[in-house]
Amino acid sequence: MLGFVPPLPQQPGRPPSAGHMIVCGDDALARRLAVELRYVYGERVTLLLPPGRDANSPETPLTQRGRAAALFGRMSAAMNRAGNGGGTTGGSGDTSAGGTTGGSGDTNAGVEAVRIMEAPEPSDDVLEEAGVDRAAALALVYDDDERNIRAALTARRLNPRLRLVIRLYNRKLGQHLEELLDQAAAVAMPGIDPALLDASTTVLSDADTAAPALAATALTGSSKIIQAEGLLLRAAERPPPRPGESADPGLCTLALLSSTTNDPAGAEGSDSSGDEAPQLLPDERAVADATGRGTVVLEAISRADPARPATRMGGRGAPLAQIFSRRLRWSALGFVLAAVALVIASLLTTKDSALHSAYLTVLDLLGMNDPAEGAPAARQIIQILSGIAGLLLLPLLIAAVLEAFGTLRTASSLRRPPRGLGGHVVLLGLGKIGTRVLVRLRELDIPVVVVEEDPEARGIPLARSLHVPTVIGDVTQEGVLEAAKIYRARALLALTSIDTTNLEAALYARSVKPDLRVALRLYDDEFATAVYRTLRTAHPGALTRSRSVSHLAAPSFAVAMMGRQILGAVPVERKVMLFAALEVAGHPQLEGRTVEQAFRAGAWRVLAIDATPPADRTPDLAAMPPYNPDGDAAPPPSGLVWDLHPGYVLRATDRVVIAATRRGLAELLRRQRSAVPRQ
């Protein structure tokens, strides 16, 4: 039932040590998360994978275990090379010695701290053999919500102190599950102060984490939004300043983009190095010396409003446009104008009142008036013209009835792309990721056309309810992208789970529209680099972006396993910068230092201080203020102070909001654990 398979020759078969991390999953996120924990945070990791082939790559013979072993092997070799030079691996912008694990050439130590197991289900016996009773944290990142919930309930029973990180697509269910598991931990350990209880439950969604970044790739200069205590932190991407202009640093500069990112022929950092690579959290000198490079700045902070629901395409104010065709509406308008002209002609020729002239004209149009025998010639001519116009009314009414019945009959069907549509985004794939990206795009009121091969896909009901034009068909077949009006689109988002399908769609779209903006969902970094180089050579005037869902989501899952609060993550090209809330106590790099002294370029930067007394602080800075049933009272003031004096000395009782690289945050957490032993 259970097999322990050593992925690398140096790995011994040994029981897990206390305080290790367990990752259970069946796709790329589990492997990325295990690598993040081991080679960024220096944790001992047990990776539990199902036997058999990779579900995401059924066409390849490489198993889940084989893929994980190969990934760990590449990272170990890279760490060994970095250790010879004292550098880092992963390119997160932290070049300090404390930011690496195994960086002194101790490769075997890094390899032996990884254990790979195979089991079809995370049952009681499997979790016990993985050492869940002695583990510090457990991540359940299976693609099946039900499997994650079942394993979470089992793990909480086996170890009430265990820190749980669960991957769930259902948001409401995730909120209830967090409360249930935290309550179960408190009941299992009575008499312990909940504030001191290390056990916690965090429910995350890789789709929700990655969707804002994926949607932003379709827009030029779009902002990334981070929410903290009912506030919105807007990180805006700005182009390089023109000659003679000075760059506006905003509240602070978070990153310098690669020198190629604003060049249509550039690689957006995928194959750049040295000074061309993006720099996270640069110091003032680096910002001043950077020329021709875009920046990511903390632009604004504002009060967060309730989330706005996604809007329907076409709006709610034009129901006739959704029921009757344009041709029918123009025909009806022509008939009305003809009737008005006849009324005016009757009014001018017969010298009758306006009301009586309109009355007679309507009767003539409907063929209900008596012949105008003995009447003046003008009246007879108007009656004849009214009768001819009335003949056109009958087919018009029949057409309106037929179209109305047809619209009601097909109201539950998918909408086709309308004629004349342009400036829209073509979205490929309506799985979990594509559905969240569709919601995000509609919240921004961006027109979208969806292409999906499976008519029963997860996001099809949402596309139908939002009246989003949808094309059902294989994107690799000729004519499918043309039906989505790709030649008039502003961008293409290829978000299927198959890299080759995304690449094929991008290449075909570029053959139709060479200057199209393309964003690809690609998992492998080496493959992404090869794609960049090829597309840059073939289409030097077009912009191409690449994103990996597991790469975007893994940092948030990893930091949640470390037991710290992550407010959000901002992607910078193919790197990730994290926003976190930390207690200053136990961090020698922060405690007793000024804000200016606590800043380390490329690692972390203090952005705000929570001035609320410790007893009154909200446990979750990312949560909105409690709902006020009265509605007339003002919301409670925020305790976060953003305009910090560089000379302010950080105290042990302070809680700070920091922006950090992955390795920078890992160093903070590692040094705190070394200073304060785990209970």
Side-chain angles (χ1 to χ4, degrees), residues 100-182:
T100 62
T101 301
S104 301
D106 187 8
T107 308
N108 291 337
V111 173
E112 293 176 1
V114 178
R115 183 189 186 214
I116 297 183
M117 300 173 57
E118 284 188 337
E121 293 288 340
S123 60
D124 293 34
D125 296 337
V126 173
L127 291 177
E128 288 179 356
E129 184 165 347
V132 71
D133 57 328
R134 300 180 299 277
L138 168 66
L140 298 166
V141 292
Y142 291 102
D143 194 49
D144 182 12
D145 286 3
E146 182 179 352
R147 181 186 295 184
N148 290 329
I149 295 173
R150 185 168 58 250
L153 297 175
T154 301
R156 177 60 79 217
R157 174 173 52 83
L158 296 176
N159 186 355
R161 287 186 174 273
L162 185 68
R163 189 179 303 115
L164 288 174
V165 178
I166 309 170
R167 171 187 182 183
L168 285 185
Y169 183 79
N170 191 323
R171 306 181 194 179
K172 293 183 179 179
L173 179 59
Q175 295 175 358
H176 297 310
L177 185 64
E178 281 187 357
E179 297 175 359
L180 174 64
L181 293 176
D182 286 342

Side-chain angles (χ1 to χ4, degrees), residues 25 50 171 245 267 450 458 571 642:
R171 306 181 194 179
E245 296 181 355
V450 173
R458 183 190 295 265
W642 298 93

Side-chain angles (χ1 to χ4, degrees), residues 88-101:
T88 60
T89 296
S92 57
D94 184 7
T95 57
S96 61
T100 62
T101 301

Side-chain angles (χ1 to χ4, degrees), residues 326-327 416-422 485 488:
R326 179 182 300 180
R327 181 179 301 177
R416 298 287 297 176
R419 293 181 180 180
L421 179 64
K485 315 293 185 188
R488 294 180 180 174

Side-chain angles (χ1 to χ4, degrees), residues 401-461:
V401 171
L402 293 178
E403 286 199 4
F405 273 107
T407 301
L408 294 176
R409 180 174 56 85
T410 60
S412 60
S413 63
L414 294 171
R415 182 185 177 193
R416 298 287 297 176
R419 293 181 180 180
L421 179 64
H424 58 287
V425 174
V426 177
L427 174 63
L428 308 185
L430 273 184
K432 293 196 304 182
I433 305 300
T435 301
R436 289 286 194 250
V437 173
L438 174 61
V439 172
R440 179 65 177 171
L441 292 174
R442 291 308 307 136
E443 288 175 350
L444 298 174
D445 290 330
I446 298 174
V448 186
V449 173
V450 173
V451 178
E452 172 58 52
E453 182 179 6
D454 183 10
E456 303 296 328
R458 183 190 295 265
I460 290 296

Side-chain angles (χ1 to χ4, degrees), residues 59-367:
E59 72 280 0
T60 60
L62 194 59
T63 62
Q64 287 269 14
R65 178 182 56 81
R67 282 180 171 268
L71 184 59
F72 283 119
R74 290 196 301 269
M75 291 299 298
S76 179
M79 292 299 297
N80 189 28
R81 293 193 301 268
N84 295 332
T88 60
T89 296
S92 57
D94 184 7
T95 57
S96 61
T100 62
T101 301
S104 301
D106 187 8
T107 308
N108 291 337
V111 173
E112 293 176 1
V114 178
R115 183 189 186 214
I116 297 183
M117 300 173 57
E118 284 188 337
E121 293 288 340
S123 60
D124 293 34
D125 296 337
V126 173
L127 291 177
E128 288 179 356
E129 184 165 347
V132 71
D133 57 328
R134 300 180 299 277
L138 168 66
L140 298 166
V141 292
Y142 291 102
D143 194 49
D144 182 12
D145 286 3
E146 182 179 352
R147 181 186 295 184
N148 290 329
I149 295 173
R150 185 168 58 250
L153 297 175
T154 301
R156 177 60 79 217
R157 174 173 52 83
L158 296 176
N159 186 355
R161 287 186 174 273
L162 185 68
R163 189 179 303 115
L164 288 174
V165 178
I166 309 170
R167 171 187 182 183
L168 285 185
Y169 183 79
N170 191 323
R171 306 181 194 179
K172 293 183 179 179
L173 179 59
Q175 295 175 358
H176 297 310
L177 185 64
E178 281 187 357
E179 297 175 359
L180 174 64
L181 293 176
D182 286 342
Q183 183 179 359
V187 171
M189 293 180 291
I192 296 181
D193 187 357
L196 302 177
L197 187 62
D198 192 36
S200 62
T201 306
T202 304
V203 176
L204 299 174
S205 169
D206 57 332
D208 288 334
T209 303
L214 293 171
T217 56
L219 309 174
T220 303
S222 60
S223 298
K224 289 84 173 176
I225 304 298
I226 303 298
Q227 180 174 310
E229 199 180 3
L231 299 178
L232 293 180
L233 287 69
R234 180 174 291 105
E237 181 178 326
R238 294 184 178 178
R242 297 178 181 178
E245 296 181 355
S246 59
D248 182 9
L251 298 178
C252 67
T253 300
L254 299 176
L256 290 175
L257 301 176
S258 62
S259 57
T260 59
T261 189
N262 293 284
D263 179 9
E268 202 203 10
S270 61
D271 59 352
S272 58
S273 60
D275 293 336
E276 294 183 351
Q279 299 180 25
L280 304 186
L281 300 175
D283 54 18
E284 295 182 0
R285 178 178 298 179
V287 175
D289 295 341
T291 57
R293 301 180 64 171
T295 58
V296 177
V297 301
L298 185 59
E299 186 180 51
I301 303 171
S302 59
R303 173 64 62 177
D305 296 324
R308 185 178 57 146
T311 57
R312 296 184 177 186
M313 285 190 65
R316 299 182 179 179
L320 293 179
Q322 301 173 7
I323 298 177
F324 302 114
S325 65
R326 179 182 300 180
R327 181 179 301 177
L328 182 62
R329 297 197 303 271
W330 279 108
S331 300
L333 179 61
F335 179 81
V336 171
L337 293 178
V340 172
L342 290 173
V343 171
I344 295 175
S346 176
L347 185 64
L348 294 177
T349 56
T350 61
K351 306 299 181 180
D352 204 350
S353 64
L355 181 61
H356 192 260
S357 297
Y359 173 71
L360 293 178
T361 301
V362 171
L363 292 180
D364 291 338
L365 289 174
L366 299 178

